[in-house]
């Protein structure tokens, strides 16, 4: 934006940020910032306002003018849509405001100069960087040209050597025939070996035979080459000697011919000069004689040479004939070999057909066995169902019998009370009658009478009246339990007195008997141990316990039967969506033979409802816990040998459990020191060097590219941008999947490298489940946990996004919030949108919830979960979406295993999975209430709440777990 050409003008800049706020689907926010510039003129009372959107939005200019006549301000606003609006208002300006505006203008100009200076410096640095880049490009092009020239020179040398080898090949072709006979013998041996191989019908013996054939062919070629070399040397020697002798003879003949020509010339000269010297003629004749002898000798040598040549021709013809015969034999051998191969192929096809038939038969038998097993299981299932139904009917019948008995007892009690009232009335009538007789003057003052069934009996005193009532009294059969009760109170009663004289003569006067209301209150007392009713109640409770145990066993058996290897994945990185992970180790597990101990617990874990077990790092490591790996292919670690690891994984697979391997990809410990004493030379099957280490790792002098994440300072950080590094890691992961048997990964310290590399590794190794450890610090203020943790869970979601959603991640946000929320701060467990406040609220299918692991708990205790809140913590993660993780120490050492099993059973009965919906009803200081899915409601805290009393919760809700103020669970019936 350029300056305004206004005289005596001050510019005031006001930042307006932010005015537009938006949130993405995963909580990301974006804002637009505007800049407001206001210009005030001191002389003409003009005020110019300029609003600019910093993100290239349409500009808005506001001009304000003051009318001198009426001091009214008129503004003209021109926006991006072309509309013009006017308004008038009163403005007042003063000298202080003008000075402040001028001061602001000077400061803005100073800042502008500083920005321009910084921009010039940046441009200068950019120019230097571009010059350096051009220099690097020129160097690279020069190196490329040198490499191309060296490549061309090497290519020409190779062509030259190739031509020489071709020439030698043509020279040696005639001598290869002798080696073919050996090849035929070797073919016979090969045929024998092949026969043995077909008898054994194993592929590895055939490969060994092929290897021996190739070795034999190689030896035959080498032998033929040696023979041809010997023949060539011999032939060349004989030819060279013959040529040498011929050359010497020709030279002698030429010498003699020259001498003869000289003498002839002399003779001609003599004849020409008519001089006839006899001595000259004699010498010429002698020379002629000698010349004839030399010619004869030369002819004899020539005849001998011709004879040798003829012999050589004969030998050559014989050699050619032998070569032809050898070729014919070789062709016959090849033909026999082809026939043998055809026969072998036919035998192999026949065997393959037999094997296919056998496999089809085996598959059919397996299918029949599976059908039979399925049928047997269905029969067994029906039997169990019928047994459960019979148990239910028995319990129902006993319940009805118990209710009928209770009703009969109530009727009996009412009848007893009525009879008591009747007898009381009769006694009162008899007493009044006898008292009346006594007042009329009878002599026997001590006599007493009582009405008994229409007759009056004489009693000795008042106590005998109670005894009479107990012995004769209501005319009904006394129940056995009442008789036993009365017998325990008064086991011995006085004999029944019928005769009046006998009664008068009896010495018995009084018994310590219970009162009348005490006797008949026995029917109202609760039954005790030994009574038929309490025995029935105990039997009913026992039957109910057996019925529940049968239902749980049936549910677990049905669940195990439904688990099949070809279960369809919902999405990558989430398994089946119903996974429950068990961390199968702690920080001290390396001190024992851990694989063998863990394998023995496979059946126990499977029956508890766990679906996946997270194993410790398997590789050789500098630290015994396994998190400082060195040789990745050496699986003999502190936890056990490679064979013990395979045995442990096989035990897990036999119980339908996934085995998750803890793989450390961010760093690796070196085996050797470099010449300058730095540990950056790796050994084992992956012998990397400093080029495999990132260059910004300050301790290990790496020569790779800069790291794509945070630096782990304890070991060399691996540069995953190198092609050979990624290739080796993918081969290693596939080896762990296919040869060792791991089903998925727990990825250690994924903050150290980009999630895009994790995506490549997961797509190559294709795990059933993957978890990344993205451990980051939460937000705190003045030592207290902040309520808003969106930035923390956003960083975890960003990493999951970088993997393309192929991997899950530990929900560290939820763990940190639960630390504070369970201490009567349940309001932390809901965000402003009404969702859970961790990663489970934004992306539940990729959130792996946990309370403790080997780092936070165990003997390290870096961030331990409050021990008195473990029950509430597991009640939360095991009833909410996401993938819950159970720590080894909690399950086997803390005494809460039954509680965890009960929560797992509730999760399975309600059908909760990693994508289940959550509706939070309450989250305050008193407690937390949420409905998960359609069939489960859970409550944390001490306040009173019941789903049956809520109008918005339809259906019949039955309490499944009641742990008081800790937590309560309800299931919809």
């Amino acid at each position: 934006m350029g300056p305004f050409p206004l005289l005596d003008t001050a510019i005031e800049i006001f930042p307006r940020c932010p005015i537009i706020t938006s949130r993405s689907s995963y909580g990301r926010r974006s804002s637009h910032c505007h800049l407001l510039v206001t210009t005030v003129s001191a002389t003409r009372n003009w005020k110019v306002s300029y609003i600019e959107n910093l993100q290239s939005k349409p500009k808005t200019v506001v001009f304000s003018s003051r009318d001198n006549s009426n001091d009214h301000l008129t503004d003209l606003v021109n926006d991006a849509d072309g509309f013009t609006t006017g308004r008038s208002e009163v403005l007042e300006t003063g000298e202080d405001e003008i000075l402040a505006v001028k001061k602001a203008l000077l400061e803005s100009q100073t800042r502008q100069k500083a920005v321009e200076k910084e921009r010039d410096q940046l441009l200068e640095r950019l120019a230097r960087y571009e010059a350096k880049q051009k220099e690097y490009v020129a160097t690279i092009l020069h190196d490329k040209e040198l490499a191309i020239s060296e490549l061309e020179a090497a290519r020409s040398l190779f062509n030259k050597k190739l031509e020489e080898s071709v020439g030698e090949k043509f020279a040696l072709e005639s001598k290869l025939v002798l080696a073919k006979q050996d090849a035929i013998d070797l073919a016979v041996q090969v045929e024998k070996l092949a026969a043995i191989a077909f008898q054994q019908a194993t592929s590895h013996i055939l490969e060994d035979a092929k290897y021996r054939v190739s070795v034999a062919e190689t030896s035959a070629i080498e032998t033929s080459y040696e023979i041809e070399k010997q023949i060539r040397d011999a032939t060349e020697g004989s030819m060279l000697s013959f040529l040498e002798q011929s050359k010497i003879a020709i030279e002698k003949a030429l010498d003699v011919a020259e001498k003869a020509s000289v003498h002839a010339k002399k003779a001609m000269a003599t004849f020409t000069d008519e001089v006839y010297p006899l001595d000259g003629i004699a010498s010429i004749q002698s020379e002629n004689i000698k010349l004839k002898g030399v010619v004869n000798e030369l002819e004899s040598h020539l005849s001998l040479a011709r004879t040798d040549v003829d012999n050589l021709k004969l030998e050559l013809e014989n050699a050619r004939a032998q070569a032809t015969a050898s070729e014919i034999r070789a062709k016959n051998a090849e033909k026999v070999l082809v026939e043998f191969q055809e026969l072998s192929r036919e035998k192999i096809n026949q065997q393959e057909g037999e094997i296919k038939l056998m496999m089809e038969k085996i598959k059919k038998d397996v299918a029949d066995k599976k059908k039979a097993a399925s049928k047997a299981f269905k029969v067994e299932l029906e039997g169990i169902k019928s047994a459960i139904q019979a148990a239910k009917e028995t319990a129902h019948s006993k319940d009805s019998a118990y209710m009928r008995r209770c009703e009969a007892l109530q009727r009996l009690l009412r009848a007893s009370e009525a009879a008591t009232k009747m007898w009381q009335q009769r006694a009162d009538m008899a007493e009044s009658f006898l008292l009346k007789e006594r007042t009329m003057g009878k002599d026997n003052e001590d006599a007493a009478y009582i009405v008994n069934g229409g007759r009056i009996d004489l009693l000795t005193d008042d106590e005998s009246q109670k005894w009479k009532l107990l012995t004769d009294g209501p005319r009904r059969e006394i129940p056995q339990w009442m008789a036993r009760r009365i017998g325990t109170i008064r086991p011995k009663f006085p004999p029944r007195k019928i005769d009046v004289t006998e009664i008068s003569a009896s010495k018995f006067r009084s018994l310590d008997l219970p009162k009348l209301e005490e006797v008949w209150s026995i029917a109202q007392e609760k039954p005790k141990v030994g009574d038929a009713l309490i025995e029935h109640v105990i039997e009913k409770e026992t039957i109910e316990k057996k019925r529940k145990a049968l239902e749980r066993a049936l549910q677990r058996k049905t669940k195990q039967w439904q688990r099949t290897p070809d279960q369809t994945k919902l999405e990558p990185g989430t398994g089946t969506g119903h996974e429950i992970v068990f961390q199968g180790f702690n920080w001290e597990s390396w001190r024992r033979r851990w694989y063998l101990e863990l394998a023995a617990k496979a059946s126990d874990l499977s029956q508890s409802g766990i679906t996946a077990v997270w194993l410790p790092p398997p590789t050789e490591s500098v630290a015994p816990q396994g998190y400082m790996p060195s040789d990745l292919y050496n699986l003999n670690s502190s936890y056990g040998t490679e064979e013990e690891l395979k045995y442990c994984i096989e035990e897990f697979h036999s119980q339908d459990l996934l085995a998750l391997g803890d793989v450390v990809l961010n760093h690796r410990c070196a085996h050797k020191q470099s010449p300058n004493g730095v540990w950056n030379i790796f050994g084992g099957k992956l012998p990397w060097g400093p080029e495999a280490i990132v260059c910004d790792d300050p301790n290990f002098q790496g020569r790779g590219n800069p790291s794509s994440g945070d630096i782990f300072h304890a070991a060399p950080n691996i540069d995953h941008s190198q092609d050979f590094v990624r290739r080796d890691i993918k081969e290693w992961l596939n080896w762990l999947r296919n040869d060792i048997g791991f089903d998925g990964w727990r990825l250690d310290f994924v903050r150290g490298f980009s999630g895009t590399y994790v995506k490549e590794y997961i797509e190559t190794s294709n795990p059933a489940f993957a978890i990344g450890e993205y451990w980051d610090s939460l937000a705190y203020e003045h030592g207290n946990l902040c309520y808003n943790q969106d930035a923390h869970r956003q960083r975890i979601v960003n990493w999951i996004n970088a993997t393309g959603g192929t991997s899950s991640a530990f929900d560290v946000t939820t763990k940190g919030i639960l630390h504070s929320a369970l201490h009567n701060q349940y309001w932390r467990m809901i965000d402003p949108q009404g969702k859970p406040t961790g990663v489970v609220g934004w992306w539940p299918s990729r959130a792996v919830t946990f309370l403790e692991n080997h780092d936070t708990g165990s003997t390290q205790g870096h961030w331990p979960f409050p021990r008195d809140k473990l029950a509430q913590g597991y009640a939360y993660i095991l009833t909410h979406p996401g993938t819950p993780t159970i720590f080894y120490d909690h399950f086997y050492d803390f005494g809460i295993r039954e509680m965890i099993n009960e929560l797992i059973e509730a999760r399975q009965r309600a059908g909760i999975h990693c994508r289940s919906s959550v509706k939070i009803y309450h989250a305050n200081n008193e407690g937390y209430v949420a409905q998960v899915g359609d069939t489960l409601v859970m409550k944390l805290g001490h306040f009173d709440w019941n789903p049956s009393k809520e109008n918005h919760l339809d259906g019949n809700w039955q309490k499944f777990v009641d742990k008081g103020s800790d937590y309560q669970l309800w299931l919809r019936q």
Side-chain angles (χ1 to χ4, degrees):
M1 181 180 67
F4 289 98
L6 299 175
L7 185 61
D8 297 331
T9 301
I11 299 176
E12 184 179 359
I13 301 174
F14 300 97
R16 307 288 186 185
C17 297
I19 64 171
I20 300 175
T21 304
S22 63
R23 179 183 293 274
S24 67
S25 60
Y26 292 117
R28 292 181 292 272
R29 295 176 175 176
S30 61
S31 61
H32 306 291
C33 185
H34 299 271
L35 191 65
L36 178 62
V37 181
T38 304
T39 304
V40 180
S41 176
T43 59
R44 302 178 66 178
N45 294 329
W46 284 87
K47 184 175 181 181
V48 180
S49 298
Y50 182 79
I51 300 176
E52 181 182 0
N53 191 339
L54 292 185
Q55 293 190 352
S56 300
K57 296 292 183 180
K59 298 179 180 179
T60 303
V61 182
V62 181
F63 294 96
S64 301
S65 65
R66 183 180 299 273
D67 192 354
N68 294 328
S69 61
N70 52 12
D71 291 334
H72 286 174
L73 180 68
T74 303
D75 294 345
L76 182 61
V77 181
N78 184 10
D79 57 8
D81 297 329
F83 293 102
T84 303
T85 61
R87 65 185 180 86
S88 299
E89 65 177 334
V90 179
L91 296 177
E92 295 180 357
T93 59
E95 295 180 356
D96 295 336
E97 184 180 358
I98 293 170
L99 293 174
V101 170
K102 288 183 177 180
K103 185 177 179 181
L105 175 61
L106 293 175
E107 291 178 356
S108 64
Q109 290 176 353
T110 305
R111 286 196 296 270
Q112 185 177 2
K113 290 180 180 179
V115 170
E116 290 178 354
K117 184 177 180 181
E118 186 178 357
R119 183 190 63 185
D120 295 338
Q121 292 176 356
L122 291 175
L123 290 174
E124 185 178 356
R125 289 176 60 187
L126 179 62
R128 288 200 300 269
Y129 173 74
E130 290 178 351
K132 189 176 291 185
Q133 186 177 10
K134 290 180 180 179
E135 184 180 353
Y136 289 160
V137 170
T139 305
I140 292 170
L141 292 175
H142 179 67
D143 294 340
K144 181 180 178 182
E145 292 176 356
L146 291 176
I148 291 172
S149 62
E150 292 178 357
L151 183 62
E152 292 294 335
R155 183 182 297 173
S156 61
L157 181 62
F158 173 75
N159 292 330
K160 184 177 179 181
K161 294 290 184 182
L162 182 62
E163 291 176 357
E164 293 177 356
S165 62
V166 170
E168 292 178 357
K169 176 186 175 184
F170 287 114
L172 294 175
E173 282 182 352
S174 61
K175 299 174 184 178
L176 291 176
V177 179
L178 297 175
K180 289 185 179 180
Q181 185 65 34
D182 297 334
I184 293 171
D185 297 335
L186 291 173
V188 174
Q189 295 179 2
V190 169
E191 183 178 0
K192 294 180 180 179
L193 291 174
I196 296 171
F198 284 120
Q199 289 176 1
Q200 295 180 355
T202 54
S203 61
H204 64 278
I205 297 179
L206 286 173
E207 292 177 358
D208 186 65
K210 292 179 181 179
Y211 174 74
R212 292 184 181 180
V213 169
S214 63
V215 171
E217 290 176 353
T218 305
S219 61
I221 292 170
E222 291 177 353
T223 305
S224 64
Y225 176 74
E226 292 294 333
I227 294 171
E228 288 177 356
K229 186 176 181 182
Q230 292 176 3
I231 294 172
R232 184 181 62 187
D233 294 340
T235 305
E236 288 178 354
S238 60
M239 291 298 293
L240 287 173
S241 62
F242 171 71
L243 291 174
E244 190 67 27
Q245 292 176 2
S246 301
K247 184 178 179 181
I248 294 170
I250 291 169
E251 287 178 353
K252 288 181 179 180
L254 290 173
D255 190 16
V256 171
E258 287 179 357
K259 291 179 179 180
S261 63
V262 171
H263 287 295
K265 288 179 181 179
K266 288 180 179 180
M268 289 297 294
T270 304
F271 282 116
T272 304
D273 296 338
E274 294 181 356
V275 178
Y276 188 73
L278 294 175
D279 296 332
I281 293 171
S283 62
I284 289 170
Q285 288 179 353
S286 62
E287 291 293 334
N288 287 332
I289 292 170
K290 290 179 181 180
L291 182 61
K292 287 180 180 179
V294 172
V295 170
N296 292 329
E297 185 179 357
L298 183 61
E299 288 178 354
S300 63
H301 283 295
L302 185 60
S303 61
L304 291 174
R306 287 175 179 174
T307 305
D308 293 335
V309 170
D310 293 335
N311 292 330
L312 288 173
K313 287 181 179 180
L314 290 174
E315 291 178 0
L316 183 60
E317 290 177 357
N318 292 329
R320 287 178 178 174
Q322 291 178 0
T324 304
S326 299
E327 287 178 357
I328 294 171
R329 288 196 298 272
K331 289 180 180 180
N332 293 331
E334 289 177 356
K335 185 177 180 181
V336 171
L337 184 60
V338 170
E339 293 177 354
F340 172 73
Q341 289 177 351
E342 292 293 334
L343 182 62
S344 301
R345 289 195 192 95
E346 292 178 358
K347 290 182 179 179
I348 291 171
N349 293 331
Q350 185 178 0
Q351 290 179 355
E352 287 180 353
E354 294 176 355
I355 291 171
K356 286 182 180 178
L357 292 175
M358 189 181 298
M359 290 299 294
E360 290 177 356
K361 185 177 180 181
I362 291 171
K363 288 181 180 178
K364 186 178 180 181
D365 295 340
V366 169
D368 294 339
K369 289 181 180 179
K370 188 180 290 185
K371 289 180 181 179
S374 177
K375 187 175 181 181
F377 175 75
K378 288 181 180 178
V379 172
E380 185 180 359
L381 186 63
E382 292 295 333
I384 294 173
K385 287 182 178 179
S386 61
I388 293 174
Q389 187 66 27
K392 289 182 179 179
E393 292 176 356
T394 304
H396 180 69
S397 61
K398 289 189 176 182
D399 289 342
S400 59
Y402 176 76
M403 295 301 296
R404 289 196 300 272
R405 190 167 185 177
C406 291
E407 292 174 356
L409 287 173
Q410 290 177 356
R411 290 195 301 272
L412 185 61
L413 180 60
R414 288 193 294 270
S416 300
E417 291 176 352
T420 302
K421 289 181 181 180
M422 181 186 68
W423 285 104
Q424 185 68 37
Q425 291 174 0
R426 289 185 179 184
D428 293 340
M429 291 172 60
E431 186 177 1
S432 63
F433 176 75
L434 292 175
L435 289 175
K436 185 176 180 182
E437 285 187 352
R438 174 183 282 183
T439 56
M440 292 176 66
K442 297 296 181 180
D443 296 333
N444 190 2
E445 296 180 357
D446 297 331
Y449 300 91
I450 191 168
V451 179
N452 186 8
R455 68 181 186 276
I456 299 177
D457 293 334
L458 178 64
L459 298 178
T460 57
D461 54 13
D462 294 336
E463 298 295 335
S464 296
Q465 183 180 359
K466 298 178 182 180
W467 173 82
K468 181 70 175 176
L469 182 61
L470 289 174
T471 52
D472 296 338
R475 295 180 179 178
R476 62 178 179 78
E477 184 178 357
I478 299 176
Q480 294 182 359
W481 64 271
M482 188 180 296
R484 287 197 302 271
R485 179 64 176 164
I486 295 173
T488 56
I489 296 174
R490 280 289 174 261
K492 295 182 181 180
F493 287 96
R496 186 173 182 179
K497 302 176 182 60
I498 301 174
D499 191 65
V500 176
T501 59
E502 184 180 355
I503 294 173
S504 300
S506 176
K507 297 181 179 180
F508 178 79
R509 288 292 182 268
S510 176
L511 291 175
D512 189 10
L513 296 176
K515 296 181 180 180
L516 187 64
E517 59 271 12
E518 294 178 357
V519 174
W520 297 112
S521 66
I522 296 172
Q524 299 178 356
E525 292 187 3
K526 294 182 179 180
K528 298 181 180 180
V529 179
D531 188 76
L533 286 177
I534 194 64
E535 290 177 356
H536 173 66
V537 172
I538 294 173
E539 185 179 2
K540 179 183 176 183
E541 292 178 353
T542 305
I543 292 173
E544 186 67 19
K545 288 181 179 178
K546 290 182 179 179
R547 182 181 65 80
K548 288 184 177 180
L550 281 173
E551 286 181 354
R552 292 180 181 179
L554 179 62
Q555 184 181 6
R556 288 169 185 162
K557 192 168 185 179
T558 306
K559 178 183 175 184
Q560 291 179 1
W561 179 262
Q562 290 175 352
R563 288 185 194 164
T564 54
D566 55 348
Q567 275 183 323
T568 304
K569 292 184 180 180
L570 299 178
E571 288 181 25
T574 62
T576 61
H578 298 270
E579 306 299 342
I580 299 176
V581 180
F582 176 78
Q583 182 177 359
F585 65 98
N586 57 31
W587 193 251
E588 304 297 331
S589 299
W590 61 272
R591 300 182 184 276
R592 305 195 296 272
R593 300 182 67 183
W594 193 249
Y595 291 143
L596 299 181
E597 290 189 19
L598 200 58
K601 295 179 171 61
S603 176
D604 185 28
L605 296 174
S606 179
Q607 291 178 2
S608 298
I610 291 167
T611 63
V613 179
W614 163 18
L615 291 168
T619 56
E620 177 192 33
S621 173
V622 174
Q625 290 81 12
Y627 289 100
M628 300 287 282
S630 53
D631 186 1
L632 299 183
Y633 280 91
N634 185 0
L635 301 187
N636 296 317
S637 64
S638 301
Y639 300 99
T641 63
E642 181 177 336
E643 288 74 18
E644 292 172 351
L645 173 60
K646 289 183 178 179
Y647 168 72
C648 181
I649 294 175
E650 289 175 359
E651 287 296 311
F652 288 157
H653 290 169
S654 67
Q655 297 296 330
D656 296 327
L657 295 172
L658 298 177
L660 306 181
D662 198 330
V663 292
V664 183
L665 304 180
N666 175 74
H667 50 273
R668 181 185 172 195
C669 293
H671 293 74
K672 299 177 183 179
Q673 290 176 298
S674 62
N676 54 357
V678 179
W679 290 89
N680 56 11
I681 306 298
F682 301 97
K685 192 174 180 180
L686 302 178
W688 299 339
E691 65 278 359
I693 304 174
V694 296
C695 62
D696 50 355
D697 191 341
N699 300 323
F700 299 99
Q701 297 181 3
R703 295 202 298 265
N705 295 317
S707 176
S708 56
D710 297 337
I711 297 295
F712 180 78
H713 296 283
N717 287 245
I718 301 303
D719 181 14
H720 292 268
S721 65
Q722 303 288 347
D723 292 337
F724 72 92
V725 170
R726 295 199 307 277
R727 182 184 64 250
D728 291 344
I729 289 178
K730 287 186 284 189
E731 290 178 357
W732 177 61
L733 291 176
N734 283 327
W735 176 70
L736 290 178
R737 283 277 285 129
N738 301 326
D739 295 356
I740 306 302
F742 282 108
D743 302 296
W745 315 122
R746 182 264 183 188
L747 304 168
D748 182 70
F749 197 75
V750 295
R751 282 176 53 193
F753 55 101
S754 174
T756 56
Y757 302 128
V758 175
K759 178 183 179 183
E760 187 175 350
Y761 298 148
I762 289 179
E763 289 177 347
T764 302
S765 59
N766 191 25
F769 194 72
I771 316 169
E773 185 209 19
Y774 195 95
W775 188 352
D776 199 359
S777 298
L778 279 75
Y780 291 87
E781 185 176 1
H782 305 298
N784 297 322
L785 184 71
C786 297
Y787 167 72
N788 189 351
Q789 296 294 335
D790 288 351
H792 185 269
R793 58 175 172 176
Q794 184 66 64
R795 290 193 291 271
I796 300 177
V797 167
N798 289 342
W799 180 83
I800 300 174
N801 267 328
T803 68
T806 58
S807 175
S808 302
F810 285 112
D811 193 352
V812 184
T813 314
T814 294
K815 171 179 167 59
I817 291 173
L818 288 177
H819 274 252
S820 299
L822 298 181
H823 290 87
N824 297 329
Q825 297 179 10
Y826 300 100
W827 46 268
R828 295 181 178 274
M829 301 170 70
I830 183 172
D831 65 7
Q833 287 74 37
K835 298 179 180 179
T837 48
V839 179
V840 73
W842 280 358
W843 206 344
S845 65
R846 302 299 189 274
V848 179
T849 54
F850 72 106
L851 303 181
E852 207 93 282
N853 60 28
H854 58 284
D855 289 321
T856 64
S858 190
T859 56
Q860 290 204 103
H862 291 320
W863 194 22
F865 198 83
R867 188 159 184 173
D868 59 332
K869 299 298 180 182
L870 282 174
Q872 287 190 351
Y874 276 114
Y876 181 81
I877 67 173
L878 287 172
T879 58
H880 277 63
T883 302
T885 304
I886 301 169
F887 186 40
Y888 179 91
D889 294 359
H890 297 165
F891 194 75
Y892 282 110
D893 298 335
F894 277 41
I896 57 175
R897 174 177 171 179
E898 292 300 325
M899 180 267 293
I900 294 175
N901 285 338
E902 199 171 38
L903 291 170
I904 293 175
E905 182 180 356
R907 183 182 183 89
Q908 293 174 344
R909 284 195 178 190
I912 297 173
H913 51 82
C914 68
R915 298 173 181 81
S916 296
S917 60
V918 179
K919 187 175 182 180
I920 301 175
Y921 294 114
H922 296 282
N924 49 34
N925 289 331
E926 295 180 351
Y928 170 87
V929 176
Q931 179 180 351
V932 185
D934 297 326
T935 58
L936 185 141
V937 171
M938 63 94 62
K939 177 184 78 71
L940 301 175
H942 52 77
F943 74 103
D944 187 17
W945 190 86
N946 194 316
S948 300
K949 299 178 181 179
E950 300 294 328
N951 297 327
H952 51 272
L953 287 174
D954 299 330
N956 183 19
W957 294 89
Q958 183 177 1
K959 186 176 291 186
F960 183 74
V961 179
D962 186 358
K963 297 297 181 182
S965 60
D966 282 343
Y967 64 90
Q968 294 178 353
L969 303 182
W970 291 269
L971 295 177
R972 190 196 295 271
Q973 298 299 310

